[in-house]
């Protein structure tokens, strides 16, 4: 085998050119699509042995707590930390006026860290709970917390805003004058790029128009593990343990902070994440304490763990919080002709998800205009939390169901009538499928048909307010739909190596394990593609081995990482067969023969971790025996690396489609073909306003299910989380003081599996996705779509629209005129 780099590169390119050829296509799957009996992390988690970031304990470690503002908008005039510094057990107090803090590198390229001027600590707070003033490192967390209470501060309280519509008025006080001194518009206007058609023409073509508005209260990113991290200096090398879902990003930030410290001198550990649902990992706010820990650790010569109180988990939330204004025009047959929607976001640092995004991606509506206005108010950040798609999902659901209600039509009929993409009808979509080599299946119709059958829709759907049950409650049904998350944007690095001792395979690619069992899924792909037993493939994502996969694996990342694993596995299999049938460079110098003399790679195959000759299966050798071969006939005779060093995120045939998110690239649009449909059945007690969700049916066209158990887990968990967001979850602020009133798990209600009835799970596999095997993502989408489903279900039950989320009993009674 040539050692010339140019020859090796040419060989690799030749292998890549063949990756999609027929000889690589699996004729049947042993593990892909099955409910596998193992979960890699199952035993460790169930037994309590798994290490989360909060579990990290280092010799001599100090505990750091940071001061948080008690006011929504205030400035420190004077601060005295002397009592805190004298408290026994306190080892260091870092102040906002420390010269190194003042000169600290600006944290975050996206300028999303609250504070002036984007420092780890600031003297001005723009929200209650903002990290401000001081950080205390002590021998115990309790001592650090006590020390914070001893800090004496004179505050200048400032006017504040809580409502985005009111804050958008030019006469409103400034929420963030240090950065935005000419108004409270973060994005200085609107994002309009998803609009298409002529909105005036669309409304002129309508038989009817309707206008309405709705609100979505903040629902937070609270997870089971408190935000934390650990910093340790090893000389001039940094060693860091992070609760973070994009672990490759902090590494570059760390390098920037300390004058370009070499990336090779930064070691990152990624313990279990505790299902952090995006949230604070999406913003550089979480890195401020890390900088403080690094600074103090350097000064005291000891490791430092920073820890937030549980209340911190409630200071930020999902970017769907805000007020939506909608106007829709439609014909009498249910065809929607025009939609004009404006969303006033609360502190949306990424206000790019237009309220009409899904209408643009999923429908034939020819005339659409969507505006997103991000308004600064004195609350926490709103970021992608449990998925950023809720604004366009809410808008699509409420518009289509409202049109169906106005016309007295079955909402499933309105959905099918308006199905399409980017203003084009289904004929255009079918042609796009044909051009791209996809099956000619109708995903939405399949999803709707299977969902209706599962919930017995034709027997249960009725006119609004028309069905009172024997128990006295009103019966209601709801339906919604959208596309699956299937974007393949992003990059991923995976390697697979064969262990020299026993011939098993190890996947190499660090990533954040956030509980969705992506690790088992990657092993399923590798095992099937190489021909190994599943138990012979292992993956530990917590250890860095030179490769980073795309993380977190919570929405469409299988569409990226799946390609990398599959390519790596196919390259590896080819290299194994070449090693088994061809003499190595050492063999050419000696007299040793290959393991299977007289054969070519195409004559061979691998099954159940055994290499064999296809024409004579009795000629075989286990991988364990193969790697132990001595001399030049063995794969390591020349000390070669038997493995694949690189995985690619896109298949070659689709490399030209590696574009920005969704279907919206003007040069090369890529339509969404896979759909999802969801059905809900409820009962409403008109005396108490109580809503009982008695059944949910989820139908997801995942293209191809790889880990079926994980897919169903997303449907189960997403249903519970969706009902939680629809019925209960709401961060409440005192309008007089601006202080959060329910920042704890006692007053912030979260649903459990006792808060809803049976959950039906249906997986459709059309192969219409851009991922490997025609797959799409399923993560996050059920939890994102189900919340919107409650409004049409309530309307169907009581005949009244409630557009204020969450939908609570008092709002039911108010709509019925009982309070």
């Amino acid at each position: 085998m040539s050692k010339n780099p140019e020859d090796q590169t040419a060989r690799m390119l030749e292998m890549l050119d063949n990756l999609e050829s027929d000889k690589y296509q699996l004729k049947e799957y042993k593990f892909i699509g099955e409910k596998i009996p193992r979960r890699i992390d199952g035993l460790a988690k169930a037994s309590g042995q798994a290490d989360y970031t909060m579990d990290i304990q280092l010799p001599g470690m100090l505990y750091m707590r940071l001061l948080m503002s008690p006011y929504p908008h205030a400035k420190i005039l004077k601060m005295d930390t002397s009592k805190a510094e004298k408290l026994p057990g306190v080892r260091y107090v870092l102040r906002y006026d420390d010269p190194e803090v003042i000169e600290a590198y600006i944290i975050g390229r996206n300028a999303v860290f609250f504070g002036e001027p984007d420092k780890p600590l600031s003297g001005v707070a723009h929200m209650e709970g903002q990290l401000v003033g001081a950080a205390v490192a002590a021998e115990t967390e309790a001592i650090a917390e006590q020390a914070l209470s001893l800090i004496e501060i004179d505050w200048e309280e400032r006017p504040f805003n809580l409502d985005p519509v009111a804050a958008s008025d030019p006469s409103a006080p400034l929420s963030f004058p240090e950065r935005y001194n000419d108004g409270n518009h973060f994005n200085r206007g609107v994002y309009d790029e998803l609009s298409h058609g002529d909105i005036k023409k669309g409304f002129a073509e309508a038989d009817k128009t309707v206008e309405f508005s709705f609100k979505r209260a903040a629902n937070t990113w609270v997870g089971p593990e408190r935000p934390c991290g650990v910093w340790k200096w090893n000389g001039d090398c940094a060693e860091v343990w992070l609760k973070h879902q994009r672990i490759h990003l902090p590494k570059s930030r760390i390098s920037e902070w300390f004058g370009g410290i070499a990336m090779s001198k930064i070691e990152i550990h990624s313990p279990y994440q505790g299902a952090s649902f995006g949230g604070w990992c999406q913003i550089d706010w979480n890195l401020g304490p890390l900088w403080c820990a690094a600074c103090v650790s350097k000064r005291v010569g000891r490791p430092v763990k920073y820890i937030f109180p549980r209340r911190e988990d409630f200071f930020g939330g999902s970017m769907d919080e805000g007020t939506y204004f909608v106007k829709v025009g439609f014909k009498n047959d249910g065809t929607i002709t025009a939609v004009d929607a404006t969303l006033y976001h609360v502190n949306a640092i990424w206000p790019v998800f237009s309220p009409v995004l899904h209408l643009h991606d999923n429908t034939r509506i020819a005339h659409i205009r969507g505006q997103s206005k991000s308004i600064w108010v004195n609350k926490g950040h709103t970021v992608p939390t449990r998925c950023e798609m809720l604004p366009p999902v809410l808008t699509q659901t409420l518009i289509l169901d409202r049109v169906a209600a106005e016309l007295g039509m079955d909402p499933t009929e309105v959905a099918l009538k308006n199905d399409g993409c980017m203003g084009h009808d289904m004929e255009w979509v079918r042609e796009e499928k044909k051009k791209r080599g996809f099956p000619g299946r109708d995903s939405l119709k399949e999803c709707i048909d299977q969902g209706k059958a599962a919930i017995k829709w034709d027997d249960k759907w009725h006119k609004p307010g028309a069905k009172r049950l024997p128990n006295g409650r009103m019966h209601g049904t709801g339906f919604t739909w959208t596309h699956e998350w299937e974007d393949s944007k992003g990059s991923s690095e995976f390697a697979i190596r064969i262990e020299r001792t026993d011939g098993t395979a190890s996947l190499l690619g660090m990533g954040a394990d956030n509980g969705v069992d992506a690790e088992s899924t990657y092993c399923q792909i590798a095992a099937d593609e190489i021909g190994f037993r599943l138990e012979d493939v292992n993956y530990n994502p917590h250890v860095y081995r030179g490769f980073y996969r795309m993380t977190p694996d919570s929405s469409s990342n299988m569409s990226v990482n799946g390609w990398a694993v599959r390519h790596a596995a196919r390259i590896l299999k080819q290299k194994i067969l070449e090693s088994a049938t061809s003499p190595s460079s050492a063999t050419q110098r000696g007299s040793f023969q290959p393991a299977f003399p007289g054969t070519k790679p195409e004559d061979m195959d691998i099954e159940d971790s055994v290499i064999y000759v296809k024409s004579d299966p009795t000629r075989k050798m286990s991988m364990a025996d193969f790697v132990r071969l001595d001399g030049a006939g063995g794969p390591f005779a020349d000390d070669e690396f038997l493995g694949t060093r690189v995985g690619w995120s896109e298949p070659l045939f689709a490399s030209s489609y590696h574009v920005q998110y969704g279907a919206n690239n003007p040069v090369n649009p890529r339509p969404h073909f896979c759909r999802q449909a969801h059905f809900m059945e409820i009962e409403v007690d008109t005396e108490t306003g109580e809503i009982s969700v008695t059944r949910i049916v989820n139908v997801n066209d995942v293209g191809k299910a790889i880990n079926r158990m994980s897919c169903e887990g997303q449907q189960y968990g997403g249903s519970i989380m969706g009902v939680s967001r629809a019925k209960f979850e709401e961060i409440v602020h005192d309008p007089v003081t601006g202080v959060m009133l329910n920042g704890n798990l006692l007053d912030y209600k979260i649903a459990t599996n006792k808060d809803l009835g049976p959950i039906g799970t249906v997986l459709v596999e059309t192969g219409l996705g851009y991922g490997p095997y025609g797959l799409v993502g399923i993560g996050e989408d059920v939890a994102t779509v189900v919340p919107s489903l409650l409004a049409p279900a309530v309307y169907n039950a009581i005949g009244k629209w409630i557009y204020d989320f969450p939908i609570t009993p008092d709002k039911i009674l108010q709509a019925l005129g009982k309070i």
Side-chain angles (χ1 to χ4, degrees), residues 761-772:
T761 60
V762 180
L763 295 174
V764 176
E765 298 177 277
T766 62
L768 291 172
Y770 294 98

Side-chain angles (χ1 to χ4, degrees), residues 175-404:
S175 303
F176 203 160
E178 286 74 23
R179 180 178 293 152
Y180 306 110
N181 57 15
D182 60 346
N184 292 319
H185 285 263
F186 170 71
N187 58 344
R188 293 295 186 271
V190 299
Y191 279 80
D192 221 13
E193 70 261 52
L194 293 183
S195 301
H196 64 247
D198 183 336
I199 200 71
K200 292 183 178 179
K201 179 181 178 182
F203 282 114
E205 294 172 350
D207 295 325
K208 297 180 180 180
T209 61
V210 64
E211 296 184 58
F212 60 95
S213 64
F214 57 95
K215 292 183 178 181
R216 169 72 252 190
N219 52 108
T220 189
W221 56 55
V222 62
E225 182 186 25
R226 292 158 58 193
C228 56
V230 181
W231 186 290
K232 179 186 177 185
W233 286 104
N234 298 312
D236 61 348
C237 298
E239 188 172 8
V240 182
W241 289 258
L242 285 174
K243 175 179 167 57
H244 201 288
Q245 288 180 261
R246 289 185 170 89
I247 51 181
H248 56 289
L249 297 180
K251 192 170 185 177
S252 63
R253 301 291 197 273
I254 291 169
S255 178
E256 294 168 357
W257 295 344
F258 299 101
I261 181 175
M263 297 281 279
S264 58
K265 292 186 176 182
I266 304 169
E267 183 176 2
I268 303 290
H269 300 275
S270 177
Y272 284 98
Q273 296 298 297
S276 47
F277 308 125
W280 87 312
C281 291
Q282 308 283 3
I283 56 177
D284 283 332
W285 183 22
N286 70 87
L287 298 181
L290 184 64
W291 186 95
C292 294
C295 180
V296 173
S297 179
K298 177 72 75 172
R299 295 181 184 186
V300 302
R302 295 170 63 175
V304 175
K305 174 191 279 190
Y306 65 88
I307 304 174
F308 281 97
R310 169 58 72 185
R311 184 174 172 83
E312 186 280 335
D313 252 347
F314 295 87
F315 286 123
S318 177
M319 62 188 297
D320 53 290
E321 180 185 5
T323 302
Y324 303 64
F325 296 91
V326 174
K327 180 179 179 181
V328 56
F330 50 97
K331 292 185 176 296
N332 290 328
D333 66 353
T335 302
I336 298 174
T337 61
V339 171
D340 192 359
T342 300
L343 166 57
Y344 286 78
H345 276 288
V346 168
N347 295 355
I349 59 175
W350 296 337
V352 295
F353 294 94
S354 166
V356 300
L357 172 64
H358 283 215
L359 291 169
H360 171 85
D361 286 352
N362 300 332
T363 72
R364 62 182 294 178
I365 303 172
H367 309 287
I368 288 175
R369 180 170 65 187
Q371 303 178 67
S372 294
K373 300 185 178 183
S374 181
I375 310 298
W376 281 121
V377 299
N378 297 105
K379 296 180 181 179
H381 304 77
T382 57
V383 295
T385 299
R386 294 182 281 180
C387 193
E388 63 276 11
M389 295 292 180
L390 196 44
V393 168
L394 277 168
T395 305
Q396 175 173 315
T397 297
L398 298 182
I399 284 176
L400 272 80
D401 280 275
R402 180 65 182 264
V403 168

Side-chain angles (χ1 to χ4, degrees), residues 438-476:
F438 281 118
R441 297 172 65 172
D442 188 335
S443 179
L444 181 59
K445 188 174 189 311
E446 289 190 39
C447 289
I448 287 177
D449 287 348
Q450 293 197 41
K452 289 174 68 174
I455 203 169
K456 297 181 173 57
W457 178 263
D458 290 337
D459 296 331
K460 293 184 177 180
W461 180 77
H462 51 75
K463 299 297 182 180
K467 185 175 182 180
R468 187 176 292 275
L469 298 168
N471 61 12
R473 297 182 175 186
M474 299 302 294
H475 175 269

